[in-house]
Amino acid sequence: EHYEACGHPLDAAEIHGALNRFDRAAELFTEAGELARAGEMWRADGQYSKAGEAYERANRLDTAVECYCKAEDVLRWTVALDRRGLPFEAAQVAIEYENWECAIRSLQQVSHSDPNYATASNLLVDAYQRVGQIDLALNKIEELVNAVGIEAAPLESCDRLGQLLEASGQLDRSIHVLETLRGRDADYPNISTRIEALRKQANEEAT
């Protein structure tokens, strides 16, 4: 208390830390601008989110990530991973905890040059669907299919494009995609049944 009263927060913090008064020590280290030391104290006190914030402010991102992981603080955890340049890993965390908004934010940051880009794009389609953003999901799967052409795109991607076109009410386009899919693989599960059902629905809506 003497050192605090005299305006020496760093000395006071050291004493509080030595006495295992970690929360007060953390506050004083923060006041003294010793953010990494503050993180150590918050961590020792079991307050992992606060520890992560202190480490993040000290630009100790790897340690911040460890603390947020310990706290299961998904929002801060994923933001720290994004700042660390690991958006795909951040998205995986968000998906594991079914935090779709965080997953979308991180997946949108995965660059075309990233080896995980195709996987991330498909996960982004999933995430958009989870939050009811069918138009955004459709735009993304179209981007993936158009990048290589419908004749070369993975069959599952073509199937998904057909499903999303159907969900958005574009039945004629959905039929065209599924017919192309059937032309590539006549044994694709339920493909003919689905095409006929869509044709029937399109005819009914046209009359």
Side-chain angles (χ1 to χ4, degrees):
E1 288 76 10
H2 169 75
Y3 284 114
E4 291 183 53
C6 293
H8 300 290
L10 185 57
D11 292 325
E14 295 286 4
I15 292 171
H16 281 290
L19 295 172
N20 294 338
R21 298 170 184 163
F22 299 123
D23 56 345
R24 184 59 184 147
E27 292 169 354
L28 289 165
F29 276 126
T30 301
E31 185 181 331
E34 294 287 338
L35 297 173
R37 294 296 306 281
E40 291 174 19
M41 294 297 104
W42 288 126
R43 196 173 192 177
D45 201 43
Q47 299 195 52
Y48 294 106
S49 283
K50 286 186 176 181
E53 288 183 70
Y55 281 122
E56 191 170 0
R57 288 176 62 196
N59 208 32
R60 295 266 298 275
L61 292 178
D62 286 341
T63 312
V65 165
E66 292 174 10
C67 292
Y68 292 140
C69 173
K70 190 82 172 177
E72 296 188 330
D73 188 335
V74 176
L75 178 57
R76 290 186 176 91
W77 186 1
T78 55
V79 168
L81 283 167
D82 286 337
R83 287 190 61 202
R84 180 69 178 74
L86 299 169
F88 184 71
E89 289 77 0
Q92 289 178 308
V93 170
I95 290 167
E96 180 181 350
Y97 286 86
E98 298 186 356
N99 189 322
W100 303 111
E101 297 298 337
C102 284
I104 288 168
R105 184 201 66 232
S106 295
L107 289 166
Q108 288 173 333
Q109 296 182 51
V110 178
S111 69
H112 286 76
S113 60
D114 192 304
N116 294 306
Y117 179 74
T119 300
S121 295
N122 280 295
L123 290 172
L124 184 54
V125 175
D126 287 336
Y128 281 142
Q129 287 186 269
R130 292 275 189 169
V131 299
Q133 297 281 0
I134 300 301
D135 288 346
L136 292 177
L138 175 57
N139 290 343
K140 193 64 186 179
I141 198 67
E142 279 194 292
E143 175 192 316
L144 285 173
V145 171
N146 291 340
V148 293
I150 196 167
E151 294 291 347
L155 298 179
E156 294 77 10
S157 295
C158 297
D159 185 357
R160 197 164 206 189
L161 175 57
Q163 292 177 37
L164 287 167
L165 286 166
E166 178 184 356
S168 66
Q170 301 182 57
L171 300 185
D172 289 341
R173 290 189 64 202
S174 178
I175 291 168
H176 172 71
V177 168
L178 294 181
E179 285 178 334
T180 303
L181 174 55
R182 182 170 63 180
R184 292 177 59 192
D185 183 358
D187 296 322
Y188 196 85
N190 303 315
I191 190 69
S192 294
T193 302
R194 289 169 60 193
I195 291 170
E196 291 310 312
L198 282 172
R199 281 178 177 158
K200 181 179 179 182
Q201 183 181 344
N203 289 334
E204 288 173 352
E205 291 182 5
T207 59

